[in-house]
Each structure stands twice: as C-alpha cells, then as structure tokens.
C-alpha cells in the first residue's frame, strides 16, 4: 500500500469519527459503522499499516478519544439500543486492530482504558446479562483491552494494578466472568492468563487482593459449569484456559495462600476450596517441578488433619465412640449424620490423592528424603501421625460405610452397620481405597511407621479392606499391596498376620512364608 493510501486512512477515520460524533442522522450511523469496520479489517492484515496510521497526520488519536468519551455517555443512557451496540463494537474492533503488536499505538490507545472499563461495567450488569445482544459488546471490548497490553509489560502491569484495586462494585472482571456466555468468558481468560504468565508480582495480586480472590472464586464456580463441555467448544476452551490460569498460580507457589484465602470462618471446607483441590490434584499428576512439593506439604498436612479429624468426629457421633459397644447394641446410631460430612470426605479424598502424588513423584525422582519425613512424622493436635490417624478413620469408616458388592451392602459378621439412609455414597466414593493406598505409601520401607501401625491395631483394619467394594474400585488390590509394605522386613508384623490365621491363598498373595 502506498504512502498516499496510508494517509488516506487517517483522513477517512477523522471524517468518519466527526460524523459519528455529531450523530446528526441515525440513518447514516450503520453505514459509518461499516466503513469503520472495513478500516479495521485492513489494519488487522498489515502491521506496517498499523504503525503508519498511528504515527501519520492528521493524527487519529484525539478523534478516537472523543469517540470513546461519547460512546460511554450514550451506552449509559441508551444501553439497549442496537445502534449504540453496533458503534461500540466497530469502534472497539478498530481500536483493537490498531493497537495489536505496536507499542506506541498501545500507549496511545490505553488512554481510553477508563472508558472501556465503564462500557464493560454497563454491559455486564445483571439486566444487560439477560440480553444476549450485550455479549458481543463485552467480548469485543475485552479483546480490545487484551490487544492494548499484550507483550507490553508496563501497560499490562498498569492494567492489572488498576483492576486488582478497584472498588468491589466496579470489579468488571468479576462481572464478566459471571456472564452466561462461554465465548465471552474465554476472551477474558485469554487476557487474564496473558497477564499473570511468568509474572510473580501479578500472580500475587490475584491471590492476595480482595478483588483477585473474588475473581478466583467466580472462576472456580465457572470451572464447575464448564467441566463437561466438549473440548473443541468455546466452553471447553474456556475450561482449559481456566485450568492454565490456576496452573500458573500453582507453579508460582501460590496454592497454599489461595487455598487459605478461600476459607470461610467456621467452615471446615467450602465448595471453592474443593474445586481448587480438584485442579491441584490434576496438576500434581502432570509431573510438575519437584521444587514445588516442599511448599505445598505444610498446607496438605494441615488440611489432611483438619478434614480427617472432622470426619472422624462426625462419624463417631453417628456410630458411637466405643466400637465394642456398637457391635452389641441394637442400634449404633446416636445422632443424624453431619450434613457437611460428605463434603469433608470428598475434599479428604482429593487431599489424600495430592499427598500420594507428591510422595510417589518424589520417590521416582529420588527426592523423597526431603519430602517424605514431614508426611510421616507430622502429628495432629492429639499427637497421632498421619498413618495412625488414617487407621483410626478407616476403623470408623468400616462401621459407617458397609461394603457394596453387586449393588448391595455386605454386612460384616458380628457387627451392625449403619442404615442405608445415612450411608449415601455421595462424597464417600474412593475414600477407603485412597486412605488405604496412602497408608501403603507412607509405610513403604519405613520400620518406624510399620511398627506404629501395628501398635495401633492397624494390621487387622487393613486386612479387613482386602475385599471387593463397588464404591472403592481396586480397594482389595491396594489393601494387599499395603499389607505387603507393612510386612516387608518386619517379623513382628508378620507374626500378627499369622496369628489371625488367614487362608493359605491370602498368604500367597502377600508373598509370605
């Protein structure tokens, strides 16, 4: 394109903007808007053209500024008018394409950030969110903000500082994440991920500021909604970007701080923490950097003890504190189950899986010397280590949750089970299996832990788990492996098993003499 043609775009834009600013004939507005869209298409194709248009005379920047100021006012008073939306979209597209990849254009365009923010606020209100016609406006404005700061560190930090410190009622990123439109959410998540990528300072603001935490909470809600979406859909891609955002926070070492900041006073666990644990569990299974393990260990230990102690207490209130007494009573039920118990157990499964992932990964990379001792030696307020506390919980679960085989609970000889209405499997799936697996990992190759488990009568508990249970797939296999680890090189533990007189087939499975 020649220099004359490049200059003509500046002249054309100035003429168009003047006509739009006058707003004399509404009939002419659609044609003016289409002409602006045509210029935006040319700008998207040619970085050299974008550079020239941003620098040449007559300058476009004062007219663009005036146009955004006018649109803010019109959007606030005529939000529902399709004509206003059309001009906002075309002006956004022009600004977005003009700013893309040209630092000087980004700096000039960024002067309009307050107006773009106000338009986002207008079109992300609850009333506007009920009208799908608002979504394209929000989406285009978000993309404009993204192009204004992408690859420009100073502008990105300025944008991030501004939005993380807004008053609660002006937190437009939170409002946009709440819109019922996956495509719009995807546009915002692209911006958010770009902002925090490889930048610890901006990650910290997201985790520690009130607005940042609200963004995380809202996004965790949306992750639940988007989880089942097809991978290639806008919703599926939005889920992937949301996962990437939290992965960056995890890799930055912010998982413990974020988990703590999501906590609600007086609650053992809240839904947002559970969703975060699901994402963390997935992240840890993807072989992250081992340097993160030690930073997550204190959080996971504290969370394990809090959840397991809460679960033990809630189950004990149901089945009674004296197991011998429970076995001979007509009814072991002392109180209705705590309604929070299933949620606590669901989170406990996730924490247990996270601990197992870290211990196994550290063993595979020969770093267990710095990782395993805290998991083995940390004690609860009652002085029990994780292995002992897990055994105690498994004893209670064996009473509280009957095994299920072929769709029916299986009663144990000489022991009364809780009625079916208090053993709804929701929240309890995989709990026994993962706790048994954790015991097996912790006691592997460690004589002290093996002895502790024997001394708290844990060996019969584990042996009792060597059964098929449809709520706990592969429970039997994990229990056999755990017993093998308990007995390996430990004659005292082997003597306990022999004294119980298991079958010869069972001993062969354990590879015992």
């Amino acid at each position: 394109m020649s220099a004359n043609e490049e200059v003509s775009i500046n002249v054309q834009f100035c003429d168009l903007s003047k006509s739009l600013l006058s707003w004399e004939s509404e009939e002419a507005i659609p044609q003016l808007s289409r002409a602006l869209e045509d210029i935006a298409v040319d700008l998207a194709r040619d970085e050299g053209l974008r550079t020239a248009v941003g620098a040449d005379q007559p300058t476009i920047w004062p007219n663009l500024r005036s146009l955004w100021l006018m649109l803010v006012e019109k959007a606030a008073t005529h939000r529902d008018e399709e004509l206003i939306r059309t001009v906002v979209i075309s002006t956004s597209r022009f600004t977005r394409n003009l700013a893309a990849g040209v630092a000087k254009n980004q700096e000039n365009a960024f002067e309009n950030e307050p107006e773009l923010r106000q338009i986002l606020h207008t079109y992300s209100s609850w009333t506007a969110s009920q009208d799908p016609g608002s979504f394209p406006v929000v989406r285009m404005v978000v993309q404009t903000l993204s192009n204004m700061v992408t690859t420009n560190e100073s502008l990105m930090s300025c944008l991030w500082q501004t939005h993380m410190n807004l008053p609660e009622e002006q937190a437009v990123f939170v409002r946009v994440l709440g819109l019922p439109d996956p495509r719009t959410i995807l546009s915002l998540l692209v911006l958010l991920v770009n902002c925090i990528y490889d930048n610890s300072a901006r990650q910290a603001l997201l985790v520690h500021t009130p607005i940042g935490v609200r963004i995380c909470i809202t996004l965790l809600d949306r992750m639940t909604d988007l989880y089942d979406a097809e991978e290639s859909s806008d919703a599926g891609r939005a889920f992937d970007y949301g996962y990437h955002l939290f992965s960056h926070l995890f890799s930055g070492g912010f998982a413990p701080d974020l988990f703590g900041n999501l906590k609600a006073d007086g609650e053992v666990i809240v839904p947002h923490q559970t969703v975060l644990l699901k994402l963390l569990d997935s992240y840890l299974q993807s072989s992250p950097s081992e340097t993160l393990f030690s930073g997550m260990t204190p959080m996971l230990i504290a969370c394990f003890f809090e959840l397991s102690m809460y679960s033990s207490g809630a189950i004990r209130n149901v089945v009674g504190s004296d197991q011998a007494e429970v076995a001979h009573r007509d009814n072991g039920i002392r109180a209705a189950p705590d309604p929070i118990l299933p949620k606590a157990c669901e989170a406990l499964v996730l924490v247990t899986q996270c601990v197992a992932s870290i211990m196994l990964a550290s063993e595979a990379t020969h770093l267990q010397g710095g990782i395993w001792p805290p998991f083995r030696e940390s004690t609860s307020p009652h002085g029990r280590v994780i292995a002992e506390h897990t055994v105690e919980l498994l004893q209670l679960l064996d009473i509280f949750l009957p095994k299920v085989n072929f769709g029916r609970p299986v009663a144990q000889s000489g022991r009364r089970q809780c009625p079916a209405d208090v053993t709804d499997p929701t929240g309890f799936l995989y709990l026994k299996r993962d706790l048994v697996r954790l015991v097996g990992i912790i006691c592997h190759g460690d004589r002290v832990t093996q002895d502790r488990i024997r001394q708290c009568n844990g060996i019969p508990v584990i042996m009792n788990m060597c059964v098929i249970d449809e709520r706990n797939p592969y429970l039997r296999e994990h229990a056999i492996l755990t017993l093998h680890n308990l007995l390996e090189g430990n004659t005292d533990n082997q003597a306990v098993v022999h004294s119980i007189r298991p079958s010869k087939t069972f001993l062969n499975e354990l590879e015992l003499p």
Side-chain angles (χ1 to χ4, degrees):
M1 184 173 288
S2 68
N4 288 336
E5 289 174 317
E6 291 171 358
V7 171
S8 70
I9 287 184
N10 289 55
V11 172
Q12 186 181 0
F13 173 78
C14 290
D15 291 341
L16 283 171
S17 60
K18 288 175 183 177
S19 298
L20 287 168
L21 287 167
S22 66
W23 209 271
E24 292 177 352
S25 172
E26 291 194 354
E27 291 76 11
I29 297 300
Q31 182 179 353
L32 295 170
S33 183
R34 284 194 296 272
L36 195 56
E37 294 268 1
D38 291 339
I39 297 175
V41 171
D42 291 336
L43 292 171
R45 294 171 178 166
D46 189 342
E47 183 176 347
L49 179 60
R50 296 197 292 273
T51 302
V53 169
D56 283 346
Q57 297 296 323
T59 180
I60 65 168
W61 301 110
N63 286 33
L64 182 61
R65 180 88 180 112
S66 298
L67 195 52
W68 278 117
L69 290 169
M70 180 268 289
L71 289 174
V72 165
E73 183 179 347
K74 285 193 172 294
T77 55
H78 304 283
R79 179 192 63 216
D80 297 329
E81 290 187 12
E82 185 176 351
L83 201 59
I84 302 298
R85 294 171 176 168
T86 300
V87 179
V88 171
I89 290 174
S90 60
T91 306
S92 293
R93 183 173 282 111
F94 174 85
T95 309
R96 179 196 70 178
N97 294 356
L98 181 64
V102 181
K104 188 61 178 177
N105 288 1
Q106 290 176 324
E107 293 170 10
N108 286 321
F110 195 76
E111 293 183 16
N112 301 294
E113 188 276 332
E115 285 66 47
L116 291 169
R117 193 192 326 149
Q118 290 181 57
I119 288 177
L120 276 183
H121 190 273
T122 297
Y123 285 100
S124 62
S125 67
W126 185 88
T127 304
S129 70
Q130 307 307 300
D131 182 359
S134 298
F135 304 152
V137 179
V138 175
R139 188 160 57 245
M140 188 57 65
V141 171
V142 168
Q143 291 174 7
T144 302
L145 285 173
S146 186
N147 275 17
M148 281 165 44
V149 301
T150 298
T151 72
N152 193 318
E153 280 296 312
S154 61
L155 292 181
M156 198 175 290
S157 292
C158 182
L159 177 77
W160 201 249
Q161 285 277 355
T162 298
H163 282 262
M164 292 302 106
N165 290 285
L166 288 171
E168 184 174 347
E169 66 277 6
Q170 296 178 24
V172 292
F173 287 172
V174 176
R175 292 163 68 109
V176 172
L177 283 174
L179 294 177
D181 181 58
R183 193 175 174 190
T184 302
I185 294 170
L186 174 60
S187 296
L188 179 59
L189 286 174
V190 171
L191 171 60
L192 298 182
V193 170
N194 287 343
C195 284
I196 69 167
Y197 175 75
D198 202 25
N199 190 287
S200 181
R202 291 196 285 268
Q203 291 172 2
L205 285 174
L206 184 59
V207 169
H208 294 300
T209 61
I211 294 302
V213 173
R214 281 198 61 200
I215 288 173
C216 292
I217 288 173
T218 307
L219 179 54
L220 289 167
D221 284 337
R222 299 321 306 267
M223 295 292 282
T224 302
D225 300 334
L226 300 169
Y227 176 72
D228 292 325
E230 295 215 2
E231 194 171 337
S232 60
S233 67
D234 289 330
R237 292 174 61 207
F239 179 87
D240 289 341
Y241 266 92
Y243 177 79
H244 290 323
L245 183 144
F246 285 108
S247 293
H248 288 313
L249 296 180
F250 297 154
S251 64
F254 290 101
D257 290 345
L258 180 56
F259 186 82
N261 290 338
L262 295 175
K263 189 172 183 60
D265 292 341
E267 299 289 339
V268 66
I269 195 74
V270 295
H272 306 113
Q273 289 178 306
T274 300
V275 177
L276 188 71
L277 287 171
K278 291 179 180 179
L279 298 174
L280 181 60
D281 178 36
S282 177
Y283 174 79
L284 290 172
Q285 292 184 38
S286 64
S287 301
S289 170
E290 293 84 358
T291 58
L292 300 175
F293 293 163
S294 58
M296 293 183 184
T297 299
M299 176 200 84
L300 291 172
I301 291 174
C303 192
F304 180 89
F305 277 126
E306 183 176 14
L307 291 168
S308 60
M309 290 174 64
Y310 182 93
S311 300
S312 296
I315 294 173
R316 193 177 288 108
N317 286 338
V318 175
V319 303
S321 59
D322 188 336
Q323 294 180 36
E325 176 189 353
V326 171
H328 294 90
R329 283 191 300 182
D330 291 335
N331 189 343
I333 306 303
R334 288 172 45 177
D338 187 333
I340 305 300
L341 177 60
K343 299 299 182 184
C345 288
E346 179 187 11
L348 181 58
V349 169
L350 295 167
V351 172
T352 303
Q353 291 174 349
C354 288
V355 172
S357 294
I358 288 179
M359 296 186 75
L360 291 174
S362 62
E363 182 179 42
T365 53
H366 307 290
L367 294 176
Q368 66 265 39
I371 301 298
W372 287 47
F375 285 125
R376 282 173 166 160
E377 299 166 8
S378 295
T379 59
S380 70
H382 297 152
R384 296 185 181 91
V385 297
I386 284 181
E388 293 174 319
H389 202 72
T390 303
V391 166
E392 179 188 36
L393 180 56
L394 282 168
Q395 287 176 314
L396 291 168
L397 287 171
D398 209 26
I399 302 170
F400 181 69
L401 294 174
K403 302 172 184 64
V404 174
N405 198 356
F406 300 108
R408 298 176 63 85
V410 179
Q412 298 181 60
S413 176
R415 178 176 294 175
R416 184 173 297 278
Q417 302 291 339
C418 292
D421 61 344
V422 299
T423 55
D424 183 348
T426 304
F428 301 103
L429 297 176
Y430 316 117
L431 181 56
K432 289 182 183 178
R433 181 198 69 184
D434 287 335
L435 290 174
V436 168
R437 179 179 180 233
L438 180 62
V439 172
I441 294 171
I442 290 177
C443 73
H444 179 249
D446 186 75
R447 179 61 184 255
V448 173
T449 303
Q450 293 172 345
D451 291 341
R452 279 180 175 272
I453 294 172
R454 180 188 71 252
Q455 291 160 4
C456 68
N457 297 317
I459 292 177
V461 174
I462 300 301
M463 292 180 68
N464 201 41
M465 297 292 161
C466 295
V467 295
I468 295 174
D469 184 349
E470 292 176 8
R471 291 177 184 153
N472 293 270
Y474 301 105
L475 171 64
R476 181 176 184 273
E477 289 76 7
H478 281 295
I480 289 174
L481 180 59
T482 296
L483 274 174
H484 178 274
N485 290 348
L486 277 170
L487 306 184
E488 188 175 26
N490 193 315
T491 55
D492 292 336
N493 285 2
Q494 293 174 18
V496 172
V497 171
H498 282 290
S499 69
I500 298 175
R501 299 182 180 277
S503 68
K504 184 176 181 181
T505 300
F506 186 79
L507 291 174
N508 289 337
E509 287 181 314
L510 294 178
E511 300 180 1
L512 288 178

